[in-house]
Amino acid sequence: MRQLSLLAGMTCSSAAPAQPLIEELQPLNFGTLAIASNTSISRFSLPRTGTNMSVEGQFALIAGGTPGRYRFTGFPANTALDVSLNSAVLTAGSNGSLEPLTVTDYDLGDVTTDAQGEAELALGAILDTTGNGNSYVDAPFSGTTLMRVDYWHPDVQNRVFNTSTIDLGAELRSTLILDEDQPLHFGTLFARTSTTAQATLTLSPSGSYTISEPDNSRLVSLAKPDLGIFRVSGAAANYSLTINPQTADVLLEHSEFPGSAPHFVLSSLTTLPDGTGITDANGELLVRLGGTLKTELTASPVTYPSGQYEGTYQLTVSY
């Protein structure tokens, strides 16, 4: 008789249920904004869809933001999640001493887990300035807030909650970039002062020019003048900007003999566009600049010595 010994066995597996997890797939970022003034509260609305963004007050949108995206895993299956968030403060300084931005309103839809206990959430929000008259710096702003998820848990037959800290960001860039594509230059001239009248060369921002020589003053153009051309960039698209050339006269002095050679007087700076201009779809604007150049009144007629005559002026472009 033969006996057969058999080893009988079994393996038991008791996998613990997955713990609820809130994963930040994409932090909420309000993009890049400019602010012309903080004398009243300005508001930027970023919907959870990422479309139809809107600004109120003195905000200008330079680059659109991105809604936050979050994944929930390990929650009970087919369960409604009640998501809430605390208000938040965004600052540019690590010590929080600079003027803050605030987030108090959020845009989020209903969230229900699937059969695997998973769900995703898109999050939008509203960003406000303080409106207290203090100035904002050009800088990235950042902050955090607490996300709380309340839900019914069948194992404990009660409502429970989980929390997670999420990131929020924005950038303020109110300073425009103004590049000089072509300097304002009145060309090559022969000039002579007068005791009674000033000769003038008036250069239009469109490029045309006229010369006036009353009495015995002289201003002869030997090489045509060039208007100034400036390029504004880094602004909000299709946005109105204010253009202010200097109003005070500017003295152009001989580069080698500033104390002895007569001066030219630059006045009546004019721009095209005049006063305001609209940026293009790339947030850029070309500004053309002209003005009037005058000879000086002197005690006796003086011929201007050869050389370069230079002076500086200011051109301000702002929101």
Side-chain angles (χ1 to χ4, degrees):
M1 171 182 276
R2 301 179 59 190
Q3 290 183 334
L4 181 64
S5 297
L6 299 176
L7 179 64
M10 63 180 292
T11 301
C12 293
S13 175
S14 178
Q19 292 298 310
L21 176 66
I22 303 171
E23 181 184 2
E24 187 174 63
L25 302 177
Q26 176 176 278
L28 190 153
N29 191 288
F30 291 94
T32 304
L33 297 148
I35 178 169
S37 171
N38 190 32
T39 55
S40 60
I41 293 176
S42 296
R43 172 165 289 186
F44 171 57
S45 299
L46 172 64
R48 67 178 184 267
T49 59
T51 60
N52 299 318
M53 303 176 199
S54 65
V55 292
E56 300 175 31
Q58 298 299 307
F59 263 144
L61 179 61
I62 297 175
T66 52
R69 289 181 53 244
Y70 310 89
R71 177 183 292 133
F72 306 116
T73 58
F75 288 83
N78 306 311
T79 300
L81 305 181
D82 184 10
V83 182
S84 60
L85 299 104
N86 293 343
S87 60
V89 175
L90 277 58
T91 62
S94 57
N95 59 5
S97 61
L98 299 174
E99 197 68 11
L101 298 167
T102 58
V103 183
T104 55
D105 295 302
Y106 296 92
D107 177 30
L108 64 164
D110 296 333
V111 183
T112 301
T113 60
D114 59 17
Q116 285 73 45
E118 299 181 359
E120 286 198 8
L121 169 72
L123 178 67
I126 294 177
L127 185 71
D128 288 345
T129 62
T130 58
N132 61 12
N134 293 336
S135 298
Y136 279 93
V137 297
D138 284 2
F141 283 67
S142 60
T144 60
T145 191
L146 190 70
M147 177 181 287
R148 177 183 170 115
V149 182
D150 289 89
Y151 55 97
W152 175 265
H153 203 299
D155 291 348
V156 298
Q157 288 295 294
N158 206 345
R159 293 190 69 82
V160 297
F161 69 89
N162 292 87
T163 61
S164 179
T165 299
I166 67 169
D167 298 314
L168 305 169
E171 181 179 358
L172 287 187
R173 193 173 70 212
S174 304
T175 302
L176 303 172
I177 301 170
L178 185 60
D179 293 316
E180 186 179 51
D181 285 0
Q182 179 173 285
L184 176 63
H185 194 280
F186 286 89
T188 303
L189 305 166
F190 169 82
R192 188 175 67 220
T193 68
S194 168
T195 61
T196 58
Q198 293 171 280
T200 61
L201 188 159
T202 300
L203 174 61
S204 163
S206 64
S208 62
Y209 68 95
T210 58
I211 293 177
S212 174
E213 299 174 303
D215 298 343
N216 62 343
S217 62
R218 290 292 177 267
L219 198 54
V220 180
S221 178
L222 305 177
K224 74 177 186 67
D226 291 317
L227 55 89
I229 301 177
F230 300 85
R231 183 180 303 274
V232 182
S233 59
N238 307 308
Y239 201 88
S240 177
L241 302 179
T242 301
I243 305 167
N244 288 315
Q246 179 174 323
T247 57
D249 290 350
V250 178
L251 292 182
L252 275 61
E253 299 180 328
H254 196 288
S255 59
E256 295 181 34
F257 314 113
S260 58
H263 303 127
F264 287 101
V265 180
L266 174 59
S267 63
S268 303
L269 291 171
T270 55
T271 62
L272 185 68
D274 180 20
T276 59
I278 306 295
T279 59
D280 61 18
N282 298 316
E284 296 186 352
L285 173 67
L286 278 183
V287 179
R288 294 170 171 81
L289 178 78
T292 298
L293 188 73
K294 302 177 183 179
T295 59
E296 230 180 355
L297 291 173
T298 53
S300 60
V302 178
T303 298
Y304 282 79
S306 299
Q308 293 288 330
Y309 291 78
E310 299 173 336
T312 59
Y313 60 89
Q314 289 186 338
L315 175 66
T316 303
V317 183
S318 60
Y319 285 103

